[in-house]
Amino acid sequence: MEKICRDDEGLFETRRWKGGRVYKVFAGSVFLGILMIWVYRLTMILRGSSCSWALMFGVFGAELWFGFYWFLTQASRWNPVFRYTFKDKLSLRYEDKLPGVDVFVCTADPSIEPPSMVISTVLSVMSYDYPTEKLSVYLSDDGGSQFTFYALLEASRFAKYWIPFCKKFRLEPRSPAAYFAQAIEPNDAAFSAEWIAVKKLYEEMDNRINAAMKEGKLPQNIHEQHKGFAEWETGITAKDHQAIVQILIDGKDETSVDIEGSVLPTLVYMAREKRPHRHHNFKAGAMNSLIRISSEISNGEIILNVDCDMYSNNSETIRDALCFLMDEEKGHEYAYVQFPQDYDNITKNDIYAASMKSIREIEFHGLDGFGGILYIGSGCFHRREVLSGRHYSKHWKKNTKIDKPIQRVTNLETLEAKCKSLTTCSFEDNTGWGNEIGLKYGCPVEDVITGLSIKCRGWKSIYFNPPRTDFVGLAPMTLSQTLVQHKRWSEGDFQIFLSKYNPFLFGHGKIKFGLQMCYSIYCLWAPCSLPTLYYSTIPALALLNSIPLFPDMKSIWFIPFAYVIVTTSVYSITEAMWIGQSRKAWWNEIRIWLYKRLASYLFAFLDDVLKVIGVNKTSFIITSKILDEDVSRRYAKEIIDFGPASSMLTILSVIDGEGCHPICSSFHASLFSVNL
C-alpha cells in the first residue's frame, strides 16, 4: 500500500493500492478488445451479414450495453483507498471530550424479526467500549408490538449483568445470542462461575420471550411490571395505533446502574403513530422520528443506525468512527462513516453469493477514493447536524469540546408525552422533514438518496473496513429470499436513476464524475436484465437454427472475443482469491450473478416501468429472519433451496432448460464478473 496521508499527528491514515497502475493498463487493453468487438459487429451489419439483420443488431445492442456498463464499473476499481485508525491517539487526546452517541435500532415486524434477535442487537450496542453516560440506545418498533416492548423491558434488566460482564472479561462479540452460540465454558474458575450464571440469566430471559411469542399473548402479571403496557390496552394494531414512547433506562438517573454501580446507557422504546390513511414512509420515517425524540432526550452529536439483525461485532467501533470525525485536519469534511456489513451464517462456498465480498472488499474502497461511499442504511455513523440539513462550508470547523448535557427540567412522564407529539402522523405536514431535513422520502432505498444528497451539499464520507468485522447479521438461506432481496434493492436503485436524484444530473458539478459513475453502477442493476436476457436466449435459439452470430475460430475477429473472455475471467478469479474466496465460491457468485439478472433485476425493471406509468405503487418487503430447521440444514450442506414457487423461479427454470450459447454466455459473464 502507498501512503497518501500523514500519520504523525492525525487520528487516521489513508493508503492507496500500489497495483492500481497495472490494473489501469489491463483495463485499457480490455477496453481496446471491446472496441474491436463493436467494430466487428458494425462491419457485419454494414456488409449485410447472411444471418438475420435484426438478430445481429440485437446482439450488437446487448454488447454495446455490456461495454458501457463495464466502463462504468471501472470507476470503482480506478482509485481504491484503504483507511487505518489510531484509537490510542484518540484516547490520549480526547477521552474527556468524547461526544454523545445515539444509537438507532429499527425493527418492523416481530413475526419475521424475532424480538429475541432484536434485543441481542440492542444489548450488543449497549455494551460498547464507550462512556455509558454518553451512550443512548433507541429502538424503533414500526410493528407497535407489545412483544417487542416486553423483550426490550427484559433486555433493560439483563443489561445490568451483561454490560459489566462483557467489559470485565473483554468479550467479543457482545451480542449474547452470538457470543453464547460460539463460546465454550472457560477453564478459569472465577470466569467460569460468572459465565455460567450470566448464561443462565440469558437463557431464562430468551425462553420467557419466546414462550410469550409462542403463546400469542402476555399474561397479566407481565402487564403489571411496567406502566408502558397500558398503551396496548386499547386494542391497537400494527397499522393503526397511537404514538408510544417509553424511557426504560434513564441514563441521567443516578439509580439507573448495573450490578457494579456503573451508570447504564439510556434505553428508549418508540413506536411512531400509524394510521391506515397516512403513508408512513417506511424506515426513513422511523429514522426521522428517532432523530426528533432523541434530540429531546439525549441529543447526541453522533448518530449510529443499525438494522435489528445487524449486531455489533466489535466493541471499539465507535472509537474507530470518531478517529475520522474528530481528526484535527480532515475530520470536519466528513458527514458520515460507513462500515461494511457481514453475515455469520455464510456457508464455506457462499452458495447464494450473499456476502457480496467483491463489493465490500474492492468496490466500496473505490468509491471512497472518489470522495465517499454511498450510505447503505445500516452500520453508519452520522453527524446529527448533517442529517438535520447542514451544508458543508470550508470555513466551518467543529470544535472538539465537551457537549453540554441536556438539562432535564421535566419528569419522565412529561418528557415522554412531548416526544410522543413529535412522532404523530401530522407532525411532518408542511415541514422540511423527508426533503431538506432528515432522511429522504419517496424511494425504497432512502439511504442511498440521503447519502447522495449529503455529498451534493459539499460533504465527504468515509468507508472503513477493519480486520475485525464491525456489524454482522443473517444472510438469506433460500434462493427465493435472495432473489426477493435483490429485487427490492435493484428496484429502488433504478428508481433513483429515473428520478431527480439521477447521479449524473443531481450530482453534476457537485460530486466528482467518477463518483457519479460509481453510484450509477448500482442504479443500473435493473436494466442490465434486458441485454442479459437477450444474450442468454437468442444466440442459443440461433445456434439451433444454424444461424451464425459469432466469428469462426479461424477468423481474426475471434481474437478480441477470446481476449476479453479469457483475461477478464482470469482477473475475476484472481481477485476472488485475493479477497479470500474459494474457487467454488467464485463460481457460485457467477451463477447467482446470472440468476439475479434474469429474475430479480428483470422483475425490478418491469415494476419500475409500471410505477412510471402509474400502474404500480412503491412497496417495501422485509426479508424474514425466522430460522427454519429444515432450511437451515439444507443451507449448511450447501444444497440449493428454491423456497416457495414464484414467477422469478419460473423464468430461471425456462432459461436454464433452454441453455446458452457457450461464447455468448462466457462473454457477458466475463464482462460483468469484475462487478458482481
Side-chain angles (χ1 to χ4, degrees):
M1 296 292 177
E2 176 188 356
K3 186 169 68 176
I4 60 174
C5 183
R6 86 274 181 265
D7 65 347
D8 52 344
E9 295 181 0
L11 298 179
F12 72 93
E13 178 180 283
T14 301
R15 297 180 183 179
R16 182 179 288 120
W17 180 41
K18 287 186 177 180
R21 295 184 183 90
V22 176
Y23 180 81
K24 290 173 183 177
V25 173
F26 159 73
S29 69
V30 172
F31 184 62
L32 181 61
I34 293 173
L35 289 178
M36 294 303 295
I37 291 172
W38 289 347
V39 170
Y40 166 75
R41 290 298 178 197
L42 281 174
T43 302
M44 296 301 291
I45 291 173
L46 293 176
R47 287 182 178 178
S49 174
S50 59
C51 68
S52 169
W53 179 87
L55 288 178
M56 185 64 73
F57 196 80
V59 172
F60 179 46
E63 289 168 352
L64 277 175
W65 176 266
F66 293 151
F68 163 72
Y69 190 78
W70 176 88
F71 178 74
L72 285 182
T73 67
Q74 298 317 294
S76 66
R77 285 169 169 77
W78 206 249
N79 186 37
V81 296
F82 300 83
R83 314 285 188 173
Y84 302 87
T85 59
F86 306 115
K87 296 186 286 293
D88 53 340
K89 292 183 181 180
L90 176 75
S91 299
L92 286 172
R93 298 175 191 177
Y94 302 118
E95 190 63 34
D96 59 342
K97 299 178 182 179
L98 295 175
V101 177
D102 292 344
V103 185
F104 297 168
V105 182
C106 297
T107 185
D109 187 345
S111 65
I112 58 178
E113 296 173 334
S116 57
M117 177 195 70
V118 173
I119 64 166
S120 279
T121 298
V122 169
L123 287 164
S124 72
V125 296
M126 290 180 71
S127 306
Y128 273 128
D129 180 17
Y130 200 74
T132 52
E133 67 275 9
K134 296 183 178 182
L135 183 62
S136 301
V137 179
Y138 296 79
L139 176 65
S140 168
D141 177 19
D142 260 5
S145 169
Q146 62 177 332
F147 298 106
T148 303
F149 177 74
Y150 167 59
L152 194 65
L153 178 63
E154 288 277 10
S156 69
R157 296 165 177 165
F158 179 66
K160 297 178 181 180
Y161 302 89
W162 179 248
I163 295 176
F165 176 64
C166 288
K167 294 184 176 181
K168 180 178 180 179
F169 297 104
R170 305 185 64 83
L171 304 185
E172 297 287 2
R174 296 188 177 180
S175 158
Y179 175 74
F180 287 121
Q182 59 188 249
I184 58 175
E185 184 178 335
N187 295 324
D188 180 81
F191 186 11
S192 178
E194 289 195 47
W195 190 90
I196 293 172
V198 173
K199 183 181 181 183
K200 181 180 179 183
L201 289 174
Y202 169 68
E203 291 175 343
E204 289 173 348
M205 176 188 69
D206 190 55
N207 289 336
R208 288 193 297 270
I209 294 170
N210 292 333
M213 283 290 294
K214 186 176 181 179
E215 185 68 22
K217 64 179 181 179
L218 296 175
Q220 185 60 34
N221 68 310
I222 291 179
H223 279 264
E224 296 171 354
Q225 294 177 10
H226 195 279
K227 63 181 179 60
F229 287 109
E231 300 281 4
W232 283 271
E233 292 178 357
T234 56
I236 65 176
T237 65
K239 296 182 179 180
D240 189 6
H241 62 79
Q242 74 281 9
I244 304 172
V245 177
Q246 293 291 322
I247 302 175
L248 298 179
I249 299 177
D250 180 11
K252 294 181 172 59
D253 185 351
E254 296 180 353
T255 63
S256 298
V257 295
D258 60 32
I259 59 172
E260 295 187 356
S262 300
V263 175
L264 286 167
T266 295
L267 182 62
V268 181
Y269 172 90
M270 181 203 78
R272 58 195 171 118
E273 183 183 21
K274 292 280 193 72
R275 300 302 176 193
H277 61 284
R278 297 295 297 256
H279 185 55
H280 60 273
N281 294 305
F282 310 119
K283 181 180 173 182
M287 284 283 291
N288 287 344
S289 293
L290 287 172
I291 292 172
R292 292 193 294 271
I293 71 163
S294 63
S295 68
E296 295 293 330
I297 298 173
S298 55
N299 200 34
E301 181 184 333
I302 305 300
I303 293 174
L304 162 66
N305 83 283
V306 296
D307 288 341
C308 65
D309 63 324
M310 279 284 168
Y311 67 83
S312 173
N313 191 53
N314 188 344
S315 61
E316 296 190 333
T317 300
I318 296 179
R319 294 178 182 271
D320 276 325
L322 293 181
C323 284
F324 300 106
L325 299 175
M326 297 183 71
D327 182 75
E328 296 88 345
E329 183 177 329
K330 294 286 187 179
H332 66 286
E333 300 178 358
Y334 303 123
Y336 62 85
V337 179
Q338 179 67 65
F339 288 79
Q341 300 176 10
D342 202 356
Y343 306 93
D344 60 6
N345 64 331
I346 297 296
T347 60
K348 178 182 178 181
N349 296 302
D350 197 4
I351 185 172
Y352 299 122
S355 67
M356 295 181 287
K357 208 165 185 179
S358 60
I359 293 178
R360 192 176 74 238
E361 301 292 339
I362 303 292
E363 294 180 18
F364 282 172
H365 289 284
L367 270 73
D368 199 7
F370 280 114
I373 184 181
L374 39 81
Y375 167 37
I376 59 177
S378 182
C380 189
F381 289 83
H382 295 269
R383 293 190 189 275
R384 178 182 289 272
E385 58 190 341
V386 176
L387 284 180
S388 298
R390 187 183 185 98
H391 287 250
Y392 173 75
S393 170
K394 62 181 179 180
H395 303 295
W396 173 85
K397 200 163 187 177
K398 187 69 178 176
N399 293 322
T400 54
K401 61 182 181 180
I402 304 175
D403 290 344
K404 292 182 179 180
I406 294 178
Q407 298 298 318
R408 188 72 56 76
V409 296
T410 59
N411 58 34
L412 287 187
E413 288 75 14
T414 304
L415 180 60
E416 289 172 348
K418 183 177 182 180
C419 289
K420 288 179 183 178
S421 68
L422 302 177
T423 64
T424 61
C425 292
S426 59
F427 180 85
E428 295 181 351
D429 293 349
N430 303 313
T431 69
W433 285 98
N435 185 19
E436 300 171 357
I437 307 173
L439 273 71
K440 300 288 185 180
Y441 293 158
C443 181
V445 285
E446 66 286 320
D447 41 15
V448 178
I449 58 173
T450 298
L452 178 60
S453 299
I454 288 172
K455 290 189 184 69
C456 289
R457 298 204 302 266
W459 296 94
K460 296 179 182 179
S461 63
I462 285 284
Y463 177 62
F464 185 54
N465 186 12
R468 181 178 178 86
T469 305
D470 289 274
F471 297 97
V472 177
L474 291 174
M477 293 194 296
T478 68
L479 180 60
S480 179
Q481 289 177 350
T482 301
L483 296 178
V484 168
Q485 185 181 68
H486 280 272
K487 176 184 178 295
R488 184 181 77 232
W489 291 343
S490 57
E491 184 177 339
D493 287 341
F494 190 45
Q495 283 184 35
I496 294 174
F497 198 81
L498 298 176
S499 72
K500 67 177 183 179
Y501 295 108
N502 180 296
F504 291 116
L505 301 178
F506 188 70
H508 178 67
K510 301 172 184 176
I511 59 176
K512 294 180 179 179
F513 184 71
L515 190 57
Q516 296 174 33
M517 292 173 63
C518 289
Y519 267 92
S520 298
I521 292 171
Y522 310 106
C523 290
L524 292 176
W525 271 349
C528 284
S529 59
L530 298 183
T532 303
L533 179 64
Y534 186 93
Y535 226 70
S536 298
T537 55
I538 300 303
L541 295 174
L543 181 64
L544 290 175
N545 290 276
S546 301
I547 301 175
L549 292 179
F550 296 91
D552 188 88
M553 292 183 64
K554 297 179 181 179
S555 169
I556 193 173
W557 289 110
F558 181 77
I559 295 176
F561 282 91
Y563 180 79
V564 170
I565 293 172
V566 173
T567 56
T568 55
S569 297
V570 169
Y571 172 80
S572 177
I573 193 169
T574 301
E575 183 182 85
M577 298 297 182
W578 182 63
I579 61 178
Q581 288 182 301
S582 65
R583 287 190 294 272
K584 191 170 182 180
W586 171 79
W587 180 251
N588 284 335
E589 198 166 21
I590 295 291
R591 176 173 58 184
I592 295 299
W593 160 85
L594 185 61
Y595 289 175
K596 288 186 295 186
R597 280 157 180 75
L598 293 176
S600 303
Y601 298 172
L602 177 61
F603 282 86
F605 179 83
L606 295 176
D607 278 357
D608 278 333
V609 171
L610 293 176
K611 289 184 180 71
V612 169
I613 63 178
V615 176
N616 206 349
K617 292 183 178 180
T618 299
S619 60
F620 191 87
I621 302 173
I622 303 171
T623 305
S624 176
K625 309 302 187 301
I626 300 294
L627 300 180
D628 180 272
E629 290 186 6
D630 291 336
V631 171
S632 299
R633 189 160 45 249
R634 288 190 291 271
Y635 180 70
K637 294 179 180 179
E638 296 196 327
I639 300 173
I640 289 184
D641 189 322
F642 292 93
S646 70
S647 51
M648 285 192 285
L649 294 177
T650 300
I651 193 170
L652 288 181
S653 62
V654 171
I655 295 176
D656 184 60
E658 177 189 277
C660 299
H661 190 287
I663 294 182
C664 78
S665 61
S666 298
F667 178 66
H668 72 74
S670 64
L671 282 184
F672 278 119
S673 63
V674 293
N675 183 258
L676 295 167

